[in-house]
Amino acid sequence: MLVMAAVLSAGIVLAVCVGKYPVTPGESLKILLGSLFGSVSGSPEMTVNVVMGLRVPRVLASVLVGAALSMSGAAYQGIFKNPLVSPDFLGVSSGACIGAAAAILLSMTTAFISLFAFLGGIAAVALTVSIPAMLRNRSNIMLVLSGIIVGSAMSSVLGFIKYIADPDTQLASITYWTMGSFSYISLKQLLTLLPLLIVPMTVLILMSWWIDVLSMGEDEARALGANVRMVRGIAIVCSTLLTAAAVCVAGTISWIGLIVPHFGRMIVGPSNRRLIPASGLLGGVFMLVVDTLTRTVGVTEMPVSILTGVIGAPFFCWLLLRQQRGSAR
């Protein structure tokens, strides 16, 4: 954990320095410390604006979003005892995309786009959870099937919104937003969403032992004194809030919540007491590296989901192949 935290800290400093306008590590640290303690750094105004106005909000957002998606993925996989479950399988991302697309269609500001995205994600999860309740079948399989149904319906609604959107302005914004980007994040917006990220992360870490108990099976968990419905409900709510808040910050980013927890298991093992915080640190490092590459490699910045898909799809295939070989043995 200490090594991963040190790597993340060093990565944050280096990411602030790297870009089209390079800044030395010493100068970036001087600007950061000057901003924190209210002292004058003595650096050029252009450098201060680049570091504090552009790169610091973006770097912090990428770390928080990566940690949020990875921790929610680890929690979902532990709750549903399925290592192939991802954070958006309850329809969070699809609902958030509809909310953001509707706000773009109504020509709203960035703040309202984030608000509508958050409300859309919460509404989608509420609809997903209500279907098993109406059918009086609260099993994990029914919840997953309900999420697939809601996600498919939301995708159709999003397709209709794209169809009626202005192809010259609105359609491009909707498409770019659904592919994930940290280009438009501001420090004020990030601070507004910070409680929706920090509080659920803390709750998941504190209740990680109960997620371990729940992953043993419902009968075993009840025998150990766990309130299965309450533990599962709190974990789902926290994971949903993390996913919805991450979508508000950066749009839809795929694969992070699926593949990073598997990296965490290779390093710290399957116990959620270690896996959930480790996934947060690894997710922060992974997302920081990906975002830095998207804004530095090409002439123009590419959407984040393109690079995460390039990395995630081969890893997912390797994971399936590994599981098939393990079952054959």
Side-chain angles (χ1 to χ4, degrees):
M1 294 290 183
L2 291 175
V3 171
M4 286 187 285
V7 171
L8 179 60
S9 302
I12 290 173
V13 175
L14 291 176
V16 172
C17 301
V18 175
K20 298 293 189 290
Y21 185 90
V23 182
T24 63
E27 193 170 17
S28 62
L29 283 174
K30 184 170 63 174
I31 294 172
L32 289 172
L33 294 175
S35 300
L36 287 175
F37 297 104
S39 59
V40 179
S41 62
S43 302
E45 185 178 357
M46 179 67 177
T47 306
V48 175
N49 291 334
V50 168
V51 171
M52 297 305 302
L54 298 177
R55 292 185 185 166
V56 168
R58 181 164 186 157
V59 166
L60 293 178
S62 63
V63 171
L64 289 172
V65 167
L69 294 175
S70 302
M71 292 176 71
S72 61
Y76 276 133
Q77 291 169 11
I79 295 166
F80 296 103
K81 296 175 289 185
N82 188 342
L84 303 181
V85 168
S86 61
D88 55 355
F89 85 104
L90 290 181
V92 184
S93 298
S94 300
C97 286
I98 289 178
I104 294 173
L105 197 65
L106 297 173
S107 301
M108 293 185 174
T109 61
T110 304
F112 279 100
I113 291 174
S114 298
L115 176 62
F116 273 54
F118 182 78
L119 295 177
I122 298 299
V125 173
L127 182 59
T128 301
V129 174
S130 65
I131 292 177
M134 289 188 294
L135 298 176
R136 296 181 180 179
N137 186 349
R138 298 180 182 272
S139 64
N140 290 342
I141 295 176
M142 181 57 66
L143 188 61
V144 172
L145 291 175
S146 176
I148 294 173
I149 293 170
V150 172
S152 300
M154 295 290 180
S155 298
S156 299
V157 175
L158 181 61
F160 176 74
I161 293 176
K162 288 182 177 180
Y163 177 74
I164 64 175
D166 186 350
D168 295 328
T169 56
Q170 296 172 337
L171 182 59
S173 299
I174 293 172
T175 303
Y176 190 77
W177 194 92
T178 55
M179 297 179 71
S181 176
F182 295 95
S183 300
Y184 304 107
I185 188 67
S186 65
L187 192 59
K188 182 179 179 180
Q189 181 187 1
L190 187 62
L191 292 175
T192 303
L193 295 171
L194 194 60
L196 296 175
L197 293 167
I198 298 299
V199 174
M201 287 181 187
T202 306
V203 173
L204 284 180
I205 292 174
L206 292 177
M207 67 180 301
S208 57
W209 186 84
W210 287 109
I211 297 177
D212 273 334
V213 172
L214 196 63
S215 64
M216 297 168 60
E218 293 188 6
D219 294 334
E220 290 81 357
R222 289 192 182 96
L224 291 172
N227 188 331
V228 174
R229 181 175 294 184
M230 185 183 70
V231 172
R232 184 168 57 190
I234 293 174
I236 289 175
V237 168
C238 290
S239 301
T240 300
L241 286 174
L242 285 177
T243 306
V247 173
C248 289
V249 172
T252 306
I253 300 176
S254 58
W255 295 102
I256 299 293
L258 178 62
I259 64 174
V260 172
H262 290 285
F263 284 118
R265 288 187 187 91
M266 295 177 185
I267 297 174
V268 301
S271 174
N272 286 287
R273 286 176 291 176
R274 296 186 296 270
L275 178 60
I276 289 178
S279 296
L281 292 171
L282 287 174
V285 173
F286 186 81
M287 194 75 260
L288 181 65
V289 172
V290 169
D291 180 57
T292 303
L293 290 175
T294 58
R295 64 184 174 85
T296 56
V297 171
V299 178
T300 60
E301 180 179 333
M302 72 172 70
V304 177
S305 285
I306 293 177
L307 193 55
T308 56
V310 169
I311 298 173
F315 178 80
F316 190 66
C317 293
W318 172 80
L319 182 65
L320 292 176
L321 182 62
R322 183 185 180 190
Q323 286 190 342
Q324 185 178 5
R325 288 177 178 175
S327 59
R329 294 175 184 174

